[in-house]
Amino acid sequence: MKSYIYFIALLVFGLSTTTIEAQSANDIFRAAGSPHNPKVAVAFNKYYTAEGLATISKKIADAYPELVKRKSIGKSTQGRDIWMLAITDYSVGNADRKPAFYVDGNIHSNEIQGGEICTYTAWYLTESFKDVDYVKQMLKDRIFYIVPTINPDARNNYMKEGNTAHSPRAGLIALDDDSDGLFDEDGYDDLDNDGSITRMRRKNPNGNMIVDPLDPRKMIQIGPDDVVTAQRYENLGGEGIDNDGDGSINEDVPGYYDPNRDWGWKWQPDYIQRGAYKYPFSAPENRAVADFVLTRPNIAGAQSFHNSGGMILRGPGAEEDKETYNRVDARIYDAIGNKGAELLPGYRYMVVYKDLYSVFGGELDWFYGSRGVYTFTNEIFTGFAYYKNKNGDRDQAYKAEKDLLLGDGFTNWKPYNHPTYGEIEIGGFRKNVGRATPGFLLEEEAHRNMVFTFYHAHHMPLLSVDSITEKSIGNGLKEITAIIKNDRLMPTHASQDLKYKIERPDYISLSGATVLAGMIVDNDDFNITTEQKNNPSKIKVDNIPGNSIIKVRWIVKGGGKVTVTVDSAKGGLISKKQS
């Protein structure tokens, strides 16, 4: 009898739960700008491991097979897949011929927001496709290649192992940082088991630090004229022990090399560019990205996500490379970058070498210098997000940790018996504070950075055959004139592309009649043209500028209604038949 009652109770409870779930969609009021009742439910107020991101990307691909193709573009140092989502409306046109926008994140393992921003972008594109005309048109015209993390090994290391907010920066190729013949043998040690590497301090009557009397979390330095009666401390550095007995602590941690100094444009060795590895693309993760990009000539725009500081960066990375970015392309960068500063409050649009520091072998320089692709890097998160009146400093971090995180970002100082230093205290900001966007701000950060990439992608070339006109010139001959229009800011070839002939020219072809002559119309008013004497039906055009037109003309014999086709690597493949 008891079993029967228990069964009935479970049944009733189960039915009640099902009813509540069934009604839940009716209990939701749609918020503007967010997907409504998504197929794939994802919480964007938290961070996911590499496997977590991979699981979400698979769910998105499985839910929207008509919009997403998911594939691994290579393997990491430890053998993890580097997943890419190719997102477009596959029912319209040839996906491989649409202008493409490449997005990646998390090249630096501790700079984790890029993984969530990329995933949010893929999620938003798919979940909003049915309801948002802007997204629908974007995926009709463009394709997005989204790689949420290109450093999955070290992303997991940052999240799962004891680390600071700044470690590890690299991938997980083991290196001998201290030249003792051992590899990564003296890394950080999470002595208090809080998941983070905080700070160590020790009482010392001759120390130069004291506890801030207004904030027990904070250590302040004693000034030269201060009269101090409080307990003095010395700073012992990051949490750890001397694992290899060489008299130093934390001197051979994972991640000496810098994967964003590994790209094959203006690369320099480590003694010039600290962090460079053996040679360009010696990190397998970067090699996988480069191999993918090199086989996708349709990529016209690119974006990478780092942290932190609230910056929208463009090249050149080094002053020695400043002539690469000429005035024509700088105007395009400026238009997009300045718009980004509007979309991302507190962010600044900057040039790397001039406004930040010199970088050789950086990703954004390789994309532009080697591939002719307009590329930005965003440094995610700024203290402006905490308190809107200023960008922030160390004092603000303490204030925000107390006011907005309610104490959830700091390990309070606690005593510890250290094998070398004796009685010490351990405490400080946890690794998820400072560089990583707090959860309550993360979805806004993801959305704003996403719409910046959309603005950039919107301004990739958008070509059309604007008109086809016909004029009889006697003796059974006709003059066919076509106007090819580019309705967006970016040309089909960046200046760097034109300079080094990185990508093939555009071709404008005519079919449906016998072509006797073909030419580019330089000035229609004065009938100035440039004839192409070889293969006149397929006119070679070096470039179709942004927000501009190209006019071409053929002399033809016979035929009926002709068709004009434009074939551009970065501008796509389009055709129009004469009406």
Side-chain angles (χ1 to χ4, degrees):
M1 182 65 178
K2 287 181 179 179
S3 298
Y4 178 77
I5 293 171
Y6 182 68
F7 172 77
I8 294 297
L10 281 177
L11 180 62
V12 170
F13 181 78
L15 288 173
S16 300
T17 304
T18 302
T19 303
I20 291 169
E21 289 175 352
Q23 292 175 344
S24 63
N26 296 324
D27 296 334
I28 297 171
F29 178 72
R30 180 175 182 175
S34 295
H36 182 60
N37 196 24
K39 286 185 182 181
V40 181
V42 186
F44 285 103
N45 62 350
K46 62 185 70 176
Y47 294 99
Y48 298 90
T49 64
E51 288 76 19
L53 292 178
T55 297
I56 296 170
S57 72
K58 186 176 188 307
K59 287 181 179 179
I60 292 171
D62 290 346
Y64 293 97
E66 73 282 9
L67 298 176
V68 183
K69 295 189 185 304
R70 177 178 180 262
K71 65 172 289 188
S72 172
I73 63 171
K75 296 285 188 178
S76 67
T77 298
Q78 295 183 341
R80 288 182 175 85
D81 283 303
I82 301 170
W83 291 107
M84 182 278 305
L85 297 176
I87 302 178
T88 189
D89 183 355
Y90 285 95
S91 71
V92 178
N94 181 345
D96 294 334
R97 294 306 316 275
K98 294 180 182 180
F101 195 87
Y102 172 86
V103 193
D104 73 31
N106 202 198
I107 187 173
H108 292 136
S109 54
N110 63 315
E111 300 183 4
I112 54 177
Q113 293 100 313
E116 277 62 38
I117 295 171
C118 288
T119 301
Y120 180 87
T121 301
W123 176 81
Y124 191 94
L125 282 170
T126 52
E127 297 290 354
S128 298
F129 178 77
K130 64 182 182 301
D131 296 323
V132 180
D133 289 341
Y134 180 90
V135 172
K136 195 172 296 184
Q137 188 64 47
M138 181 79 78
L139 294 186
K140 175 186 173 185
D141 298 331
R142 278 94 171 80
I143 184 169
F144 288 81
Y145 301 132
I146 301 176
V147 183
T149 174
I150 57 176
N151 198 345
D153 299 343
R155 179 183 181 88
N156 279 9
N157 182 280
Y158 166 79
M159 292 182 174
K160 295 181 178 183
E161 305 298 329
N163 277 295
T164 73
H166 313 293
S167 70
R169 181 174 170 85
L172 292 185
I173 300 171
L175 297 176
D176 180 12
D177 299 352
D178 55 350
S179 302
D180 64 354
L182 303 174
F183 292 78
D184 293 350
E185 80 286 352
D186 195 3
Y188 295 113
D189 303 281
D190 183 11
L191 302 179
D192 60 356
N193 296 311
D194 70 343
S196 295
I197 300 302
T198 53
R199 307 295 295 174
M200 300 188 298
R201 70 186 187 188
R202 181 170 62 180
K203 293 176 182 177
N204 183 337
N206 299 311
N208 66 345
M209 308 288 289
I210 62 171
V211 174
D212 187 339
L214 300 178
D215 188 341
R217 299 170 299 170
K218 191 188 304 184
M219 300 294 295
I220 56 176
Q221 191 163 357
I222 299 170
D225 299 320
D226 290 345
V227 177
V228 178
T229 59
Q231 174 67 58
R232 290 175 177 247
Y233 288 84
E234 61 176 319
N235 181 7
L236 299 174
E239 204 177 335
I241 61 176
D242 181 10
N243 290 287
D244 56 352
D246 67 350
S248 297
I249 290 176
N250 303 340
E251 87 284 352
D252 196 351
V253 301
Y256 168 82
Y257 69 98
D258 187 333
N260 202 36
R261 308 295 185 266
D262 184 57
W263 300 81
W265 180 262
K266 305 295 181 180
W267 183 90
Q268 295 289 344
D270 184 67
Y271 67 87
I272 295 175
Q273 173 58 77
R274 180 173 172 81
Y277 192 37
K278 296 178 180 178
Y279 46 81
F281 301 120
S282 49
E285 297 86 355
N286 293 359
R287 179 75 262 171
V289 171
D291 288 345
F292 175 81
V293 171
L294 288 166
T295 59
R296 303 299 189 286
N298 57 327
I299 295 174
Q303 174 73 48
S304 64
F305 291 112
H306 295 226
N307 77 31
S308 59
M311 292 173 267
I312 302 165
L313 301 175
R314 75 157 173 92
E319 185 173 9
E320 293 88 331
D321 198 26
K322 66 181 180 180
E323 298 305 319
T324 298
Y325 292 71
N326 72 7
R327 188 175 300 175
V328 173
D329 283 350
R331 283 198 294 266
I332 294 170
Y333 271 109
D334 290 349
I336 298 171
N338 287 326
K339 182 65 175 181
E342 291 180 16
L343 298 170
L344 292 156
Y347 280 58
R348 296 159 291 162
Y349 167 52
M350 303 165 67
V351 177
V352 175
Y353 88 88
K354 186 168 63 175
D355 301 316
L356 196 58
Y357 46 69
S358 288
V359 172
F360 295 96
E363 181 181 13
L364 64 81
D365 280 324
W366 178 77
F367 263 91
Y368 179 74
S370 179
R371 304 307 305 150
V373 174
Y374 296 96
T375 306
F376 290 92
T377 290
N378 286 13
E379 298 284 354
I380 306 302
F381 192 59
T382 165
F384 184 92
Y386 281 138
Y387 300 105
K388 301 297 184 183
N389 60 336
K390 61 179 182 177
N391 250 329
D393 52 28
R394 190 66 173 168
D395 287 337
Q396 185 187 2
Y398 281 98
K399 186 172 185 290
E401 196 276 333
K402 176 176 176 288
D403 292 350
L404 297 170
L405 303 183
L406 306 178
D408 188 35
F410 195 92
T411 295
N412 292 322
W413 295 95
K414 294 183 179 66
Y416 182 83
N417 187 15
H418 193 278
T420 301
Y421 296 132
E423 290 299 322
I424 66 168
E425 295 173 12
I426 298 173
F429 284 105
R430 296 178 190 137
K431 65 186 177 185
N432 59 351
V433 174
R435 301 180 72 105
T437 308
F440 77 98
L441 294 170
L442 184 56
E443 186 162 357
E444 178 184 357
E445 190 94 74
H447 188 88
R448 288 184 178 277
N449 279 274
M450 175 194 72
V451 295
F452 172 61
T453 67
F454 286 177
Y455 184 78
H456 186 175
H458 172 81
H459 277 293
M460 294 190 302
L462 183 65
L463 305 182
S464 63
V465 181
D466 188 62
S467 65
I468 304 172
T469 57
E470 177 183 310
K471 184 174 79 171
S472 175
I473 56 176
N475 296 322
L477 303 180
K478 294 183 292 187
E479 182 183 272
I480 306 292
T481 301
I483 295 177
I484 312 305
K485 191 174 184 180
N486 182 357
D487 274 319
R488 294 293 188 263
L489 182 64
M490 291 160 54
T492 55
H493 296 74
S495 298
Q496 179 74 350
D497 188 343
L498 293 172
K499 182 178 179 181
Y500 289 104
K501 300 186 186 302
I502 297 169
E503 195 45 69
R504 64 169 175 82
D506 303 322
Y507 295 103
I508 306 172
S509 304
L510 184 135
S511 60
T514 301
V515 176
L516 304 179
M519 63 208 74
I520 298 173
V521 179
D522 301 307
N523 188 313
D524 210 6
D525 294 320
F526 292 95
N527 197 29
I528 299 174
T529 62
T530 300
E531 184 181 0
Q532 179 178 297
K533 295 185 178 180
N534 295 322
N535 194 17
S537 64
K538 185 177 181 180
I539 298 175
K540 182 176 73 172
V541 176
D542 290 333
N543 190 32
I544 304 176
N547 291 327
S548 188
I549 64 167
I550 290 288
K551 188 178 288 190
V552 293
R553 181 170 293 154
W554 296 271
I555 307 299
V556 305
K557 180 178 182 180
K561 300 297 184 182
V562 298
T563 297
V564 174
T565 299
V566 183
D567 182 355
S568 169
K570 288 182 168 58
L573 181 65
I574 58 166
S575 293
K576 183 176 182 177
K577 189 169 184 177
Q578 183 183 11
S579 58

